[in-house]
């Protein structure tokens, strides 16, 4: 599957999963020649087609495509410029993650072992006006150590080596946000204690050595 087809595939997956509604959100992928393929502005991700994909250089200059790139491309380009290991970015508005973002709360309670080992926590970037340089500036404190960031009063951005990796991060964080909200209804989630975390940290080190 080529990169354009992957972009179409995961755009539709974001729509099917409910991570985006109407024309919300945007996805992009970096090519081997350091060009960027991204979803065009006002694209319905559930009905996306090849003509809805724009090719730009790393500074955002359009190289091909009949449509205009998303105004949120600045966020994507900032991530690519500061993380050479990242080749895919997915910005969405998942329901439960967006609830945390709207409440001004990071997803930083350590409740599930798997989430702790794989992601740790999801920081909250301060509110920034969408489509402006404020958005990439807001994630600057977190971009080196995190691959998933909440955007206050906005949504979620996830990035990784591939579109699949970025999508799966989005999926996992959204499920975790939902679990935390449901657990609160039941009286509140019980966080793992320091001794348990120490054992998990040891396990994580062992796994990395294999």
């Amino acid at each position: 599957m080529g990169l354009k087809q992957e972009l179409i595939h995961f755009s539709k997956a974001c729509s099917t999963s409910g991570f985006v509604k109407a024309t919300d959100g945007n996805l992009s992928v970096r090519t081997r020649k350091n060009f960027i393929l991204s979803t065009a502005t006002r694209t319905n991700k559930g009905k996306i087609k090849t003509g809805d994909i724009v090719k730009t250089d790393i500074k955002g200059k359009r190289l091909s495509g009949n449509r205009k790139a998303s105004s949120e491309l600045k966020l994507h380009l900032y991530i690519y410029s500061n993380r050479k290991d990242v080749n895919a970015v997915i910005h969405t508005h998942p329901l439960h993650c967006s609830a945390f973002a709207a409440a001004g709360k990071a997803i930083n309670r350590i409740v599930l072992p798997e989430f702790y080992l794989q992601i740790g926590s999801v920081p909250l970037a301060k509110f920034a006006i969408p489509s402006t340089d404020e958005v990439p500036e807001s994630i600057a404190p977190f971009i080196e150590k995190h691959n998933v960031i909440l955007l206050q009063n906005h949504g979620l951005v996830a990035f990784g080596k591939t579109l699949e990796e970025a999508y799966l991060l989005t999926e996992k964080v959204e499920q975790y946000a939902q679990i935390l909200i449901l657990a609160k209804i039941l009286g509140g989630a019980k966080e793992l204690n320091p001794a348990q975390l120490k054992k998990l940290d040891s396990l994580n080190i062992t796994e990395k050595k294999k």
Side-chain angles (χ1 to χ4, degrees):
M1 186 185 299
L3 290 180
K4 284 188 178 181
Q5 291 305 311
E6 281 192 39
L7 203 54
I8 290 172
H9 172 78
F10 285 105
S11 291
K12 290 183 176 180
C14 284
S15 177
T16 301
S17 298
F19 298 158
V20 292
K21 298 292 185 180
T23 60
D24 289 348
N26 32 79
L27 296 81
S28 70
V29 62
R30 182 184 353 217
T31 73
R32 291 183 178 179
K33 294 185 178 181
N34 210 33
F35 296 127
I36 308 300
L37 300 177
S38 65
T39 54
T41 186
R42 297 185 179 281
T43 295
N44 182 325
K45 308 307 179 295
K47 297 181 179 180
I48 187 173
K49 51 188 182 299
T50 304
D52 296 318
I53 296 175
V54 182
K55 181 180 179 180
T56 70
D57 63 17
I58 195 64
K59 294 185 177 180
K61 180 181 178 181
R62 188 172 63 179
L63 302 175
S64 65
N66 297 323
R67 299 191 58 198
K68 183 179 179 181
S70 169
S71 58
E72 296 287 7
L73 184 60
K74 292 178 181 179
L75 173 63
H76 298 238
L77 298 179
Y78 180 81
I79 294 170
Y80 291 128
S81 296
N82 287 274
R83 288 284 300 274
K84 303 303 180 185
D85 60 318
V86 168
N87 294 313
V89 178
I90 296 180
H91 166 51
T92 56
H93 302 166
L95 181 62
H96 300 89
C97 287
S98 295
F100 271 86
K105 295 181 179 295
I107 300 176
N108 54 13
R109 299 194 65 191
I110 303 173
V111 176
L112 301 182
E114 295 82 0
F115 191 88
Y116 173 68
L117 290 172
Q118 295 174 21
I119 296 176
S121 64
V122 183
L124 177 74
K126 66 180 182 179
F127 176 71
I129 302 298
S131 306
T132 70
D133 291 334
E134 291 181 13
V135 180
E137 289 171 3
S138 73
I139 70 169
F142 312 110
I143 192 171
E144 289 186 12
K145 295 184 179 181
H146 296 272
N147 277 25
V148 194
I149 302 170
L150 278 173
L151 308 175
Q152 186 173 349
N153 296 93
H154 191 166
L156 183 77
V157 62
F159 38 97
K161 294 180 180 179
T162 64
L163 280 165
E164 181 178 26
E165 182 179 327
Y167 175 81
L168 292 177
L169 284 171
T170 302
E171 189 174 57
K172 194 163 188 68
V173 173
E174 171 61 1
Q175 183 197 47
Y176 191 63
Q178 183 178 14
I179 289 170
L180 291 178
I181 291 172
L182 291 174
K184 186 171 184 179
I185 296 173
L186 297 173
K190 306 301 180 185
E191 295 192 61
L192 301 180
N193 62 46
Q196 292 169 330
L197 293 179
K198 186 175 181 180
K199 289 182 179 179
L200 287 173
D201 288 336
S202 175
L203 174 64
N204 203 22
I205 293 172
T206 302
E207 288 296 323
K208 288 180 179 180
K209 288 182 178 179
K210 289 182 179 180

